[in-house]
Amino acid sequence: MGAWQLPEGIDELTNDQALVFESLRRQLLDLYADKGFGLVIPPMVEHVNSLLLTSDAIDEKTFKLLDPISGKMLGVHADITPQIARIDAKRDSDSVEKYCYINSILKTKADDFYASRSPIQAGAELYGSNEINADVEVIELMLESLKLLSISPIVLSLSNVAIFDALITQEDISIQTIIQLRAIFSRRSTPDLAVFLNNNALKNTDLFTRLIKLEGGADILSEALTIFSYLDQAKVAIEDLIIIDKQLNAKGIKAIFDLSELQVHEYHTGIVFSAYNENYSKALAQGGRYNGIGKSFGKSRAATGFSFDLKFLSQRHF
């Protein structure tokens, strides 16, 4: 192996690649500033507990090392959102706060075969509002970001993880079993779900089976209300989707719905969203609501936001 070779999944930008990336970075930061989102630059390394929160997905992807000065375990950030939660808690504000960032992150393993282990994560987050219009605001900003990158057309997909969570609260199963079930939903694998349900005695077998198949236009929301009519938490989650769909329609934004979508990080608590384009095999950008994420830092606040890999999207022409 030559001394110039980089580790697997670690890449760099040079010459025209770097210039294109830097141009887009500056345009995005101008866009976010115009929308009132203040720039933050979190440190590359923090105490590991501050980075992981309660997310097994983040834990698995976080490089950990022992600090020779303090003797404490540190982590290299694999996701920026936990750091924004800490920053917001430290600010100790009761007002709506808006943050944006474009930071390199590092992962022990890529999200999929095509992804880098060293993406540059761009995103924006809004803290202090539990209103649907806050979710609409960040969704609009996500779509504007992709438009600035000259990616079109965009298919916007919406879901609400509170529906899945409402079913889970009805079950007496272990955390490990829940993680296994979440992974099946993340893969949208109906065969794996059938095997899982056959091997685990759940109260809501039929509802899990129906949930993983609920995708399509806004008409499936009426169907979902009927299916989950006796679960108040699920009904509220579906009603939130109906409200956000109306608000987005009023702005000329159309969405599809995939009610099995849970997102990769377990900290999401409500509405989640993803942006797709026919030329890409995976979501270009993702986000959602994660109320209470700052609880471990002493400040539990409503929050919503999105992120994407700017390095990946900036290089599509090369």
Side-chain angles (χ1 to χ4, degrees):
M1 177 183 296
W4 55 266
Q5 288 185 304
L6 293 172
E8 182 179 346
I10 306 299
D11 46 22
E12 62 191 357
L13 301 178
T14 59
N15 300 326
D16 288 347
Q17 292 178 322
L19 289 173
V20 168
F21 169 85
E22 181 60 19
S23 175
L24 292 172
R25 186 188 71 86
R26 293 178 185 180
Q27 292 178 62
L28 284 169
L29 291 179
D30 287 344
L31 170 65
Y32 299 157
D34 287 344
K35 300 295 184 179
F37 286 77
L39 178 65
V40 294
I41 305 177
M44 177 179 65
V45 177
E46 290 198 31
H47 292 120
V48 71
N49 290 340
S50 297
L51 295 175
L52 304 185
L53 299 180
T54 58
S55 174
D56 291 309
I58 296 177
D59 191 2
E60 291 177 0
K61 294 176 183 176
T62 299
F63 277 94
K64 304 175 182 71
L65 62 151
L66 189 65
D67 182 3
I69 295 179
S70 67
K72 295 182 178 180
M73 190 63 68
L74 305 180
V76 180
H77 56 196
D79 181 44
I80 303 296
T81 292
Q83 295 182 288
I84 303 300
R86 176 187 55 74
I87 290 170
D88 183 73
K90 183 180 179 181
R91 184 165 291 183
D92 196 25
S93 170
D94 291 323
S95 302
V96 171
E97 301 288 348
K98 301 178 181 181
Y99 308 94
C100 70
Y101 53 84
I102 300 178
N103 270 58
S104 294
I105 60 175
L106 183 65
K107 301 181 180 184
T108 58
K109 59 181 181 180
D111 292 329
D112 57 52
F113 179 76
Y114 298 100
S116 167
R117 291 199 296 159
S118 58
I120 299 179
Q121 189 177 42
E125 310 195 12
L126 187 155
Y127 279 70
S129 174
N130 200 32
E131 301 298 321
I132 294 293
N133 58 16
D135 298 290
V136 171
E137 181 176 352
V138 297
I139 289 173
E140 283 189 282
L141 188 57
M142 178 183 74
L143 297 177
E144 286 187 64
S145 299
L146 296 176
K147 182 179 179 180
L148 187 150
L149 298 177
S150 300
I151 301 175
S152 66
I154 296 296
V155 176
L156 175 65
S157 176
L158 299 178
S159 183
N160 196 321
V161 301
I163 304 171
F164 178 87
D165 291 342
L167 290 178
I168 289 296
T169 59
Q170 303 290 309
E171 307 293 345
D172 183 19
I173 53 179
S174 68
I175 296 297
Q176 192 58 43
T177 304
I178 295 173
I179 292 172
Q180 184 182 355
L181 184 56
R182 280 184 60 92
I184 291 171
F185 268 78
S186 295
R187 297 193 303 271
R188 294 175 180 81
S189 176
T190 51
D192 287 348
L193 179 61
V195 172
F196 175 90
L197 294 175
N198 187 56
N199 294 333
N200 295 271
L202 301 186
K203 300 174 184 176
N204 295 301
T205 296
D206 180 60
L207 293 182
F208 281 113
T209 300
R210 299 182 75 176
L211 177 61
I212 203 170
K213 298 176 181 178
L214 278 175
E215 58 178 319
D219 56 304
I220 70 161
L221 299 179
S222 298
E223 181 183 351
L225 277 177
T226 301
I227 293 171
F228 300 102
S229 59
Y230 76 97
L231 279 177
D232 290 341
Q233 181 184 348
K235 283 177 60 180
V236 171
I238 298 163
E239 288 165 355
D240 281 348
L241 287 173
I242 293 172
I243 294 171
I244 196 171
D245 185 47
K246 290 180 178 178
Q247 291 196 21
L248 289 171
N249 284 339
K251 294 175 178 290
I253 300 171
K254 300 297 182 182
I256 61 172
F257 297 86
D258 180 359
L259 301 191
S260 67
E261 174 64 62
L262 299 181
Q263 299 282 15
V264 67
H265 296 133
E266 304 90 333
Y267 52 64
H268 287 98
T269 60
I271 289 172
V272 292
F273 42 87
S274 301
Y276 296 90
N277 175 272
E278 60 185 5
N279 296 317
Y280 296 83
S281 61
K282 60 184 179 180
L284 304 181
Q286 292 181 303
R289 182 161 287 280
Y290 31 88
N291 291 347
I293 192 172
K295 184 177 181 180
S296 60
F297 302 114
K299 191 75 173 181
S300 180
R301 298 232 287 164
T304 181
F306 71 89
S307 66
F308 59 92
D309 181 357
L310 177 58
K311 182 163 67 173
F312 170 74
L313 293 182
S314 72
Q315 301 308 299
R316 66 192 185 280
H317 296 309
F318 291 95

